[in-house]
Amino acid sequence: MRLFSKSILPSASLVSEMQTQINISSFLVDATGRSSWLARSRGRKRISYDTMIGLVGVLRPQTSCTSIDPVLQLEAAEEGWWYSAPVPDGSLVVTYITDRDYLTRSGLRHTHFWLSKLECTSYTVARSRGFQIEGDVRVKSASTYRLERPAGDGWVAVGDAASTYDPLSAEGVSKALRSGMSASQTIHNYLRGNGEVLDEYVVGVAKEFEDYLAQRVRYYRREARWPASLFWSRRQTNPLNLEGDNFLLKGRDT
């Protein structure tokens, strides 16, 4: 089954192998995550602030006696940072956060690149002893971005469809809940005839994103061991200070 959005009316077509059903709705919510499918299908642009990726490896215990503490562990590295966490089936998920250009310049395949960087760690490589990687390392986008305008006539984008934060912020769940509650109130007021709430929603998303970027700078400035590292220096200056115009006024509806 596929979902097609109409460009004029807030409607959707559900298409299956058997039949096509047209559903007309009063309002659409883009909750498609990082794809921002609905917003981008309506011509909304995405503004990216980095090219961060996560290389995710799943490690299986080599024996039934292998065990680790049930905690999330973080470790900084010169060109990124690591986090590892056990999962209920006994395996260990180990993710390397870095910028895509480091992977590209290495010329290595994903798994070989991940393994080479793992060997340079202290705590993460020690934690992975007694485990063996299963399959290939997967590459996932972890970039920071926002939609130029996360709302329009008859629709809003919520959660990661509207903006994404650095995984170091640990804001995923709470941000999604705040976004959903804000969007529900916006939709309620819009359907009661208040069209200005869409602009207010846009400004609210932008302001929260601006606060997040400032907080990200504070977090990354706490790591000072690698002053020549592009990964760290890229995040130790707020990109909004380099744009030269009012952040909240960027991104007009078209």
Side-chain angles (χ1 to χ4, degrees), residues 105-124:
R105 288 198 306 268
S106 74
L108 299 174
R109 296 179 65 86
H110 302 161
T111 301
H112 292 160
F113 177 78
W114 182 90
L115 287 169
S116 69
K117 297 302 180 181
L118 179 64
E119 290 299 319
C120 297
T121 65
S122 298
Y123 301 103
T124 307

Side-chain angles (χ1 to χ4, degrees), residues 62-73:
Q62 293 179 309
T63 70
S64 59
C65 298
T66 303
S67 63
I68 53 175
D69 292 336
V71 297
L72 171 68
Q73 177 180 284

Side-chain angles (χ1 to χ4, degrees), residues 46-137:
R46 179 183 291 174
I47 301 173
S48 296
Y49 291 83
D50 60 33
T51 60
M52 181 183 280
I53 56 173
L55 293 101
V56 185
V58 178
L59 283 64
R60 301 292 182 184
Q62 293 179 309
T63 70
S64 59
C65 298
T66 303
S67 63
I68 53 175
D69 292 336
V71 297
L72 171 68
Q73 177 180 284
L74 301 181
E75 180 177 1
E78 184 173 1
E79 298 175 352
W81 53 274
W82 293 79
Y83 71 86
S84 57
V87 292
D89 67 358
S91 60
L92 178 68
V93 176
V94 180
T95 301
Y96 179 43
I97 301 294
T98 188
D99 284 326
R100 185 174 293 277
D101 56 335
Y102 283 109
L103 172 61
T104 302
R105 288 198 306 268
S106 74
L108 299 174
R109 296 179 65 86
H110 302 161
T111 301
H112 292 160
F113 177 78
W114 182 90
L115 287 169
S116 69
K117 297 302 180 181
L118 179 64
E119 290 299 319
C120 297
T121 65
S122 298
Y123 301 103
T124 307
V125 71
R127 195 182 202 196
S128 65
R129 293 193 183 109
F131 290 81
Q132 185 172 6
I133 190 168
E134 180 178 82
D136 292 328
V137 167

